[in-house]
Amino acid sequence: MKLDDVLYCSFTAWYPKFSHITIKSCVIPLPQDFLDYLNEDGVVLPEGSTGVTSEDSNQNDDNLEGEDLDVIWDSDTPGAMCPKFLELDSAVKKYIKSLGGVVFPKLNWSAPRDATWIAFDHTLKCKSPSDIYLLLKSSEFISHDLNQPFLYCEDWDSKKEVRVAYHLVLRKWLNVHPGYEFRCFVKNNNLIGISQRNHTAYYDFIGKERDDIIFDIQDFYADHIHLNFPCQNYVFDMYRQEQGDILLIDFNPFGEVTDGLLFDWTELENNDPLKGTDSESIKVPAFRYVAKSKGVQPDPLLTNYGVPRDILDLASGTDHNKLIDLLQLKRSQQEDGSSSEDESDVQVRQTDPR
Ligand SMILES: Nc1ncnc2c1ncn2[C@@H]1O[C@H](COP(=O)(O)OP(=O)(O)OP(=O)(O)O)[C@@H](O)[C@H]1O
Ligand SMILES: [Mg+2]
């Protein structure tokens, strides 16, 4: 996998060409001070939370000196830890409205899927800038986009900086049925494999509609994707809403930075799943899905990320500032009269992040 392969999968690189077959989206360039804010450590306090005193703040807070620290969450508590991003706020509000009032957020490559535990309704549904910032700030996947997007690239030299223009992507919210999503692997411009996207669940209709699904995906690939994407090797995700009705969701690099789901990357990279199924001119991709309900497994990726880093820090006692933030958050929730969730709920979600 090369740097260019990753760069071509950045949302702003592919969206203009494929906007007619994907979910309507808006893109907002992110200013450096917002990127610095995302990279700051610590728990972000939600709207209405009480501020912390300067003794409570950690050394990174020096970077925030001189800023009016109270606007993102509409709090006018002096000393709150949130810097203000008024222009970004108003752009986000404008685009949320233009996309129908509810959006799905992501950065150049990733959505904060690992951070839904912190959202009010445990989804990525966002209706306000603060919904989005809280998810972005709590996500390891976003942190990967910001700090290590080229980690697996063979031509990446960590000493040489690759400048990336970061964007916030807002996508119109779509009620996605996870059983209708598939991940498609393209190697040497051939569609070699298709995997059920939510590979830890069993859906009986996939087996029943197997041939139609493969046919639709091959058709979609041939009509819209083949030779239109600037790499020879890549992965694309799609959503088959109904027979013959397919939406593109995303492009991902062909390599282990992308979850192979029901495929193994060694297998995809070294062998060609097409072998043995290749007649003279018609190539049939390998199609993998969970065929029996006992095949349901916990998602290893999200199991790893399902335990919030802040909870780990709290449990290990390595960051006392986070404990102070958490206690203040709990106190402000009690003051608001919002019973919300107790710690027992968080513990249950650690073992089953879905
Ligand atoms: N506009 C949307 N509205 C609602 N849900 C969405 C939307 N776009 C994507 N999703 C859901 O979120 C999931 C992740 O979206 P997406 O592929 O864009 O994120 P990602 O971070 O690139 O994921 P991955 O790391 O697996 O490539 C999708 O599989 C889909 O279920
Ligand atoms: Mg993706």
Side-chain angles (χ1 to χ4, degrees), residues 61-284:
D61 297 338
D62 293 343
N63 300 342
L64 302 178
E65 244 173 35
E67 302 241 24
D68 183 358
L69 299 176
D70 58 3
V71 178
I72 272 190
W73 312 107
D74 296 332
S75 157
D76 41 30
T77 311
M81 287 177 64
C82 302
K84 66 175 178 182
F85 302 103
L86 294 179
E87 269 183 42
L88 181 62
D89 286 355
S90 68
V92 170
K93 283 182 191 158
K94 185 179 86 185
Y95 288 127
I96 290 178
K97 202 170 166 202
S98 77
L99 291 167
V102 188
V103 297
F104 172 93
K106 65 187 292 184
L107 288 200
N108 296 34
W109 295 278
S110 302
R113 289 184 299 125
D114 56 328
T116 49
W117 61 274
I118 205 166
F120 173 68
D121 60 355
H122 301 314
T123 73
L124 293 179
K125 261 186 192 175
C126 292
K127 295 180 181 169
S128 69
S130 60
D131 292 346
I132 295 168
Y133 304 156
L134 186 61
L135 285 165
L136 297 181
K137 189 106 175 86
S138 310
S139 166
E140 290 286 314
F141 294 175
I142 294 301
S143 181
H144 169 90
D145 271 23
L146 292 172
N147 300 304
Q148 304 183 301
F150 307 113
L151 188 63
Y152 294 96
C153 298
E154 63 223 30
D155 55 345
W156 179 56
D157 177 353
S158 58
K159 292 183 203 92
K160 285 194 196 142
E161 196 193 352
V162 183
R163 297 224 27 107
V164 173
Y166 281 99
H167 294 92
L168 173 63
V169 177
L170 302 179
R171 316 203 71 183
K172 188 179 175 62
W173 183 266
L174 182 74
N175 284 321
V176 173
H177 183 308
Y180 296 156
E181 288 186 86
F182 296 90
R183 175 159 282 180
C184 308
F185 300 85
V186 177
K187 188 170 151 190
N188 298 327
N189 284 322
N190 286 317
L191 178 61
I192 60 166
I194 301 169
S195 169
Q196 176 182 331
R197 172 78 188 259
N198 183 12
H199 67 306
T200 58
Y202 166 68
Y203 303 101
D204 63 344
F205 63 85
I206 296 185
K208 289 180 197 149
E209 295 177 27
R210 186 181 185 280
D211 291 345
D212 287 342
I213 294 172
I214 298 172
F215 180 84
D216 277 356
I217 295 176
Q218 280 186 301
D219 229 29
F220 178 74
Y221 172 70
D223 288 352
H224 299 290
I225 313 284
H226 183 60
L227 302 181
N228 281 333
F229 193 71
C231 307
Q232 292 200 332
N233 303 327
Y234 55 94
V235 177
F236 70 94
D237 296 321
M238 39 75 47
Y239 183 51
R240 183 176 177 263
Q241 310 185 86
E242 281 173 39
Q243 189 162 4
D245 179 6
I246 289 186
L247 267 183
L248 174 68
I249 299 278
D250 196 19
F251 283 102
N252 309 288
F254 188 91
E256 59 182 292
V257 70
T258 299
D259 193 335
L261 305 177
L262 296 171
F263 290 94
D264 202 304
W265 270 108
T266 334
E267 173 188 23
L268 289 164
E269 274 166 348
N270 302 329
N271 305 314
D272 190 342
L274 282 174
K275 270 185 195 156
T277 55
D278 185 359
S279 70
E280 279 303 292
S281 57
I282 303 167
K283 299 194 170 191
V284 181

